[in-house]
Amino acid sequence: MNRTGSESGDRPGPGQIEPHVGFEGLKLPPPVELNRVLSRLPGEIAGPWTRFANALLSCGTLPPVLRELAILRTANRRGSDYIVGPHRAIGLHLGLTPDQVGLALAPAERFAETSLGSPSEVVVAATDQMLDLGEVDDRIRRLFELAVGRDLITELAMVIGQYVTVGLICKSAGLEPEPGFTD
């Protein structure tokens, strides 16, 4: 199987989301409604955008569990229920614990009381600051570099920005969570 996830090497059409490398064994239904919305966009927009989105999921250097934590936090903070269900399943498949999922889905005021003693807590704090302020303060940046790694804050910002965009698309199109992903 090649990087696009297809046997033949054919890429999905514009606006279709490709399978992701590293998600072997994960059985998720395709995001039908999101694909339907994206299929209405010109290929010059949808194609590069979905390749970028898939690169973040397949080729990034941010640890996948922490990436999914940031995606869940972003989707939760932005009220993007369409995103939460699938990414909860992806995160658990990749090794997120139920406690980490709970951390990502906790109300901001409840999270503010955490110690920031784990990489998960630092990623959630960095995600919150990026969503609230558009940046991270020096303390969170230092904690992030120690807990996660240098130079990964930029990739985290890209993941957060991508899922803010996905959430806006889903909400503006009035998408409800796909069957099987409602709480």
Side-chain angles (χ1 to χ4, degrees):
M1 191 171 288
N2 63 27
R3 296 288 297 180
T4 66
S6 65
E7 297 292 335
S8 67
D10 296 334
R11 298 190 79 80
Q16 292 181 323
I17 295 178
E18 303 171 357
H20 306 298
V21 175
F23 293 10
E24 295 82 8
L26 180 61
K27 303 292 185 207
L28 289 178
V32 175
E33 293 303 316
L34 179 58
N35 281 340
R36 189 179 337 258
V37 169
L38 295 176
S39 72
R40 297 181 197 129
L41 294 171
E44 296 82 5
I45 295 172
W49 183 76
T50 56
R51 285 190 296 280
F52 169 74
N54 288 320
L56 287 174
L57 293 176
S58 301
C59 305
T61 55
L62 191 63
V65 166
L66 298 179
R67 178 199 66 226
E68 291 301 319
L69 193 65
I71 292 169
L72 284 171
R73 186 63 170 183
T74 301
N76 182 61
R77 291 280 316 273
R78 291 293 188 243
S80 303
D81 295 336
Y82 189 91
I83 298 167
V84 170
H87 281 278
R88 179 187 293 130
I90 292 167
L92 290 169
H93 177 79
L94 293 173
L96 273 180
T97 66
D99 286 345
Q100 288 171 309
V101 170
L103 179 69
L105 301 180
E109 54 278 357
R110 193 174 111 214
F111 174 75
E113 299 169 10
T114 62
S115 66
L116 302 182
S118 72
S120 297
E121 291 172 341
V122 171
V123 166
V124 170
T127 301
D128 281 351
Q129 282 194 354
M130 285 187 191
L131 290 170
D132 293 341
L133 308 172
E135 64 183 348
V136 294
D137 64 28
D138 289 340
R139 175 178 172 255
I140 296 298
R141 181 180 305 277
R142 279 191 306 277
L143 289 170
F144 186 90
E145 287 180 357
L146 288 170
V148 181
R150 281 186 59 88
D151 305 322
L152 292 178
I153 198 83
T154 301
E155 187 176 332
L156 179 70
M158 294 173 90
V159 168
I160 293 166
Q162 170 64 17
Y163 280 88
V164 166
T165 301
V166 174
L168 287 169
I169 292 167
C170 293
K171 289 179 84 170
S172 67
L175 300 184
E176 295 295 326
E178 297 279 350
F181 289 117
T182 55
D183 289 330

